[in-house]
Amino acid sequence: MKLFTRHLSEDDELIAGCIAGKRDMQRRLYNKYAARMMAVCLRYAKTSFEAEDVLQEGFVKVFGNIQNFKRDCPIEFWIRRIMVNTALKQHRQKMHVSSVAEVEQVEKHPEEEFIFSNYAFEELLDMVHQLAPRYQLVFNLYAIEGYSHKEIAAQLDISEGTSKSQYSRARAILKEMIETKEKKYNERIIR
């Protein structure tokens, strides 16, 4: 009779090692996901130093709570959610966010697609960082992380309508920034 043994995936092995408190497994998990999570943190922080703080605090939470990981999603998604929540917590603690008036009715605009592929990550990040703090948060959570407006409203303690309004305004501002940048570029080419 042949016994079948299940081979652990790399992530399963890393998770088990982290739960056991093995530093080498924690280092390997960190090294595997740190760069991707830093990109997430950079979207929410104003500086790379703030992003590094969020990343470090986030991984402390990951290692402190990894035994609670239910394995109902990939570990990367779970870590990403911790990073986003850590960034939001830091935002609430360190930034005095000027509140934007609540708007219950969002003006309906046809969804216009504007192309980001012509821009480097750093350029896009710079544009997003130029948004007002609430617009930046809502834009990142909705457009990048895939949260619903209902989830964003709960996270930021605002109404769903305000989330939709702030996202719409953020898109309009970013579109304007892109159009201005393209206009300047085209003017240089014509000269």
Side-chain angles (χ1 to χ4, degrees):
M1 183 164 149
K2 190 176 185 180
L3 293 176
F4 292 97
T5 58
R6 181 177 174 254
H7 293 285
L8 294 178
S9 73
E10 179 187 6
D11 282 346
D12 288 335
E13 192 178 315
L14 291 173
I15 293 165
C18 289
I19 290 171
K22 294 181 179 176
R23 294 270 185 222
D24 63 319
M25 293 299 203
Q26 290 174 338
R27 183 180 31 76
R28 284 178 51 200
L29 184 77
Y30 177 87
N31 288 340
K32 182 173 181 179
Y33 293 108
R36 284 179 255 177
M37 295 308 126
M38 183 63 171
V40 171
C41 296
L42 281 168
R43 288 195 294 266
Y44 294 93
K46 288 289 184 191
T47 67
S48 59
F49 296 116
E50 283 181 20
E52 288 170 2
D53 286 346
V54 171
L55 182 73
Q56 182 168 346
E57 186 179 335
F59 269 106
V60 167
K61 290 178 182 178
V62 166
F63 297 132
N65 292 291
I66 199 157
Q67 72 280 0
N68 299 326
F69 176 57
K70 294 182 174 84
R71 300 173 197 251
D72 54 354
C73 66
I75 186 76
E76 182 175 357
F77 295 165
W78 184 75
I79 294 171
R80 177 184 301 267
R81 172 104 27 193
I82 289 173
M83 295 299 162
V84 169
N85 288 336
T86 303
L88 292 175
K89 181 181 174 201
Q90 184 189 62
H91 231 299
R92 284 189 292 266
Q93 289 175 343
K94 292 186 178 181
M95 308 274 290
H96 298 295
V97 180
S98 58
S99 62
V100 179
E102 292 228 359
V103 178
E104 291 301 326
Q105 290 296 324
V106 177
E107 192 175 324
K108 298 289 182 195
H109 294 287
E111 286 293 315
E112 299 176 29
E113 290 301 316
F114 46 97
I115 299 173
F116 287 128
S117 61
N118 295 335
Y119 297 92
F121 175 77
E122 291 79 18
E123 288 177 294
L124 294 172
L125 193 59
D126 182 52
M127 285 185 237
V128 172
H129 280 162
Q130 291 176 43
L131 295 170
R134 283 285 177 140
Y135 292 166
Q136 180 183 345
L137 282 173
V138 172
F139 181 82
N140 282 331
L141 290 169
Y142 186 81
I144 310 294
E145 303 300 336
Y147 283 66
S148 70
H149 286 295
K150 185 176 182 176
E151 291 170 318
I152 295 168
Q155 283 277 351
L156 300 180
D157 196 28
I158 59 176
S159 74
E160 196 171 333
T162 298
S163 176
K164 290 177 182 178
S165 171
Q166 290 178 356
Y167 174 71
S168 177
R169 185 68 185 127
R171 276 182 54 93
I173 292 168
L174 287 170
K175 183 177 183 220
E176 193 174 300
M177 285 180 194
I178 289 170
E179 288 171 350
T180 301
K181 196 173 197 76
E182 287 177 353
K183 183 178 177 184
K184 287 179 183 178
Y185 176 77
N186 290 335
E187 286 173 356
R188 278 186 278 163
I189 290 177
I190 293 172
R191 290 183 197 164

